[in-house]
């Protein structure tokens, strides 16, 4: 072949050690934010049917889960609440002794080094399942902002390290930033669900959090999956209003959006590896159709390669175990 000129790319793939030497993207346990669902009651450990391996946990089982995550090297959690008593305005969300507030206190008292991210929304606590106050059959943007601000301050008072508003109301970052600052929480960052699409991938989460809308859908406030430029507008507004992190949700079908956000903004970008993405892999693995470890690793690597600095993922414990085994 001496008469031909071509590049020898395979030289850098010749062995395990060579491939490791030149690998560009890596997964670290500190990349992961682990979601936990906390439910009211005692001695409850309910596996979510559509999310094998994910549980709703009562307070008396919460620290067992946190302990396992901590021992695996995970240092960030995001908490979601599951409550029985709901009302039109989701008042449990901003009650100073609400389920997330109490869960946060429990975690921080036992594990002060564990970062607690508080999901700041109303949908898990409203009787109608929407992310804000209903007026004239629709979610009222401005009326909802006041309650979201109260929720954020209540969560910060309970010890949350990061406030993560997921409601997609216009102006939610600036209103929450102002409320946190007024309450003396200048040091608490906001991890904004800046780019959140109205996606079919959320179905299993709504089973886990009991947050399915009781009428209509969320398309008047979550984004159209067909739109790309809108994502940049949303992220730009949140940065201007004071966001410290930008979440892209979902991740798997939105790698192009994640790269756009990464290229346009210099704050940490967070991929949310959502419930539907998790459930698809779990279902295929349970049927023996795929190699779960290889596929999960490839999927999460692709999110980081697309521009994510951090990943919210239900696979956090699994991957942490695999990383330990490799060491």
């Amino acid at each position: 072949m001496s008469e031909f000129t071509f590049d020898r790319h395979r030289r850098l793939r010749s062995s395990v050690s060579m491939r490791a030497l030149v690998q560009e993207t890596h997964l670290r346990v500190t990349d992961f934010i682990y979601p936990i669902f906390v439910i009211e009651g005692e001695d409850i450990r309910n596996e979510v049917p559509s999310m094998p391996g994910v549980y709703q946990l009562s307070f008396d089982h919460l620290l067992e889960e946190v302990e396992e995550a901590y021992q695996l090297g995970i240092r960030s959690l995001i908490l979601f609440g599951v409550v029985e008593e709901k009302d039109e305005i989701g008042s449990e969300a901003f009650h100073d002794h609400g389920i997330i507030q109490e869960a946060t206190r429990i975690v921080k008292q036992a594990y002060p080094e564990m970062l607690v991210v508080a999901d700041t929304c109303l949908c898990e606590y409203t009787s109608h399942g929407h992310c804000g106050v209903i007026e004239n059959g629709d979610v009222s943007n401005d009326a909802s902002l006041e309650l979201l601000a109260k929720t954020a301050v209540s969560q910060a008072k309970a010890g949350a390290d990061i406030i993560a508003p997921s409601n997609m109301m216009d102006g939610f970052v600036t209103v929450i930033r102002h409320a946190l600052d007024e309450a003396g929480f200048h040091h608490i960052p906001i991890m904004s669900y800046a780019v959140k699409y109205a996606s079919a991938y959320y179905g299993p989460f709504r089973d886990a959090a009991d947050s399915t809308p009781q009428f209509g859908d969320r398309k008047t406030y979550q984004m159209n999956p067909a739109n790309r430029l809108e994502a940049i507008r949303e992220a730009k507004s949140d940065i201007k209003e004071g966001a410290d992190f930008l979440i892209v949700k979902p991740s798997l079908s939105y790698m192009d959006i994640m790269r756009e956000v990464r290229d346009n903004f210099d704050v940490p970008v967070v991929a949310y590896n959502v419930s539907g993405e998790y459930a698809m892999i779990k279902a295929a693995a349970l049927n023996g159709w795929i190699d779960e470890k290889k596929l999960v690793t490839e999927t999460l690597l692709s999110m980081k390669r697309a521009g994510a600095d951090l990943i919210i993922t239900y696979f956090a414990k699994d991957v942490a175990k695999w990383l330990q085994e490799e060491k």
Side-chain angles (χ1 to χ4, degrees), residues 194-195 229-240 245-246 248 257-269 307 309:
V195 180
L229 296 178
E230 184 181 5
I232 302 303
R233 295 198 298 270
E234 287 280 1
K236 186 180 294 185
S237 293
D238 286 8
I239 290 293
K240 181 174 63 177
F245 303 78
L246 298 174
V248 177
I257 304 301
M258 204 174 307
R259 173 46 58 187
E260 292 262 10
V261 171
R262 171 74 287 155
D263 289 346
N264 280 276
F265 305 101
D266 59 3
V267 300
V269 175
D309 300 289

Side-chain angles (χ1 to χ4, degrees), residues 193-315:
Y193 285 70
V195 180
K196 183 176 180 180
Y197 286 89
S199 172
Y201 281 102
Y202 304 152
F205 175 92
R206 292 172 184 172
D207 292 339
D210 189 23
S211 60
T212 303
Q214 298 304 298
F215 68 90
D217 52 40
R218 294 176 175 150
K219 293 180 180 179
T220 65
Y221 45 103
Q222 295 178 359
M223 292 171 52
N224 184 343
N227 290 355
R228 179 179 64 86
L229 296 178
E230 184 181 5
I232 302 303
R233 295 198 298 270
E234 287 280 1
K236 186 180 294 185
S237 293
D238 286 8
I239 290 293
K240 181 174 63 177
E241 294 174 15
D244 301 284
F245 303 78
L246 298 174
I247 297 176
V248 177
K249 180 183 181 184
S251 297
L252 195 58
S253 293
Y254 296 85
M255 300 288 193
D256 57 326
I257 304 301
M258 204 174 307
R259 173 46 58 187
E260 292 262 10
V261 171
R262 171 74 287 155
D263 289 346
N264 280 276
F265 305 101
D266 59 3
V267 300
V269 175
V270 185
Y272 198 139
N273 178 208
V274 300
S275 60
E277 298 164 359
Y278 174 89
M280 290 190 300
I281 291 177
K282 279 292 184 183
L286 288 170
N287 278 284
W289 298 336
I290 59 166
D291 183 316
E292 181 177 358
K293 178 180 177 180
K294 289 181 179 179
L295 187 56
V296 170
T297 301
E298 183 177 340
T299 299
L300 298 185
L301 274 172
S302 70
M303 293 173 187
K304 289 203 69 181
R305 191 186 65 243
D309 300 289
L310 306 169
I311 306 173
I312 301 171
T313 179
Y314 305 97
F315 288 115

Side-chain angles (χ1 to χ4, degrees), residues 38 59 62-63 66 77 79 92-118 150-161 185:
V38 187
F59 287 152
L62 175 59
L63 287 183
V66 177
L77 309 172
L79 300 177
E92 179 74 9
F94 48 86
H95 194 293
D96 283 343
H97 294 283
I99 190 167
I100 292 304
Q101 288 80 353
E102 290 301 312
T104 299
R105 292 185 181 100
I106 290 170
V107 173
K108 294 301 292 184
Q109 183 174 3
Y111 296 93
E113 303 86 5
M114 183 69 84
L115 286 175
V116 173
V117 182
K150 288 175 66 176
T151 301
V153 171
S154 178
Q155 292 168 336
K157 286 179 178 177
D161 299 286
F185 296 109

Side-chain angles (χ1 to χ4, degrees), residues 57-84:
L57 302 169
S58 53
F59 287 152
D60 49 341
H61 286 287
L62 175 59
L63 287 183
E64 299 168 14
E65 190 76 4
V66 177
E67 164 72 13
E68 184 181 6
Y70 191 87
Q71 292 303 321
L72 288 168
I74 295 167
R75 291 296 181 269
S76 302
L77 309 172
I78 184 166
L79 300 177
F80 300 96
V82 185
V83 299
E84 291 184 9

Side-chain angles (χ1 to χ4, degrees), residues 104-156:
T104 299
R105 292 185 181 100
I106 290 170
V107 173
K108 294 301 292 184
Q109 183 174 3
Y111 296 93
E113 303 86 5
M114 183 69 84
L115 286 175
V116 173
V117 182
D119 179 73
T120 306
C121 198
L122 303 178
C123 62
E124 296 147 55
Y125 311 101
T126 55
S127 53
H128 45 74
H130 280 282
C131 301
V133 178
I134 302 297
E135 293 182 357
N136 300 318
D138 194 13
V139 177
S140 172
N141 193 91
D142 295 7
S144 302
L145 292 176
E146 180 182 353
L147 301 183
L148 293 164
K150 288 175 66 176
T151 301
V153 171
S154 178
Q155 292 168 336

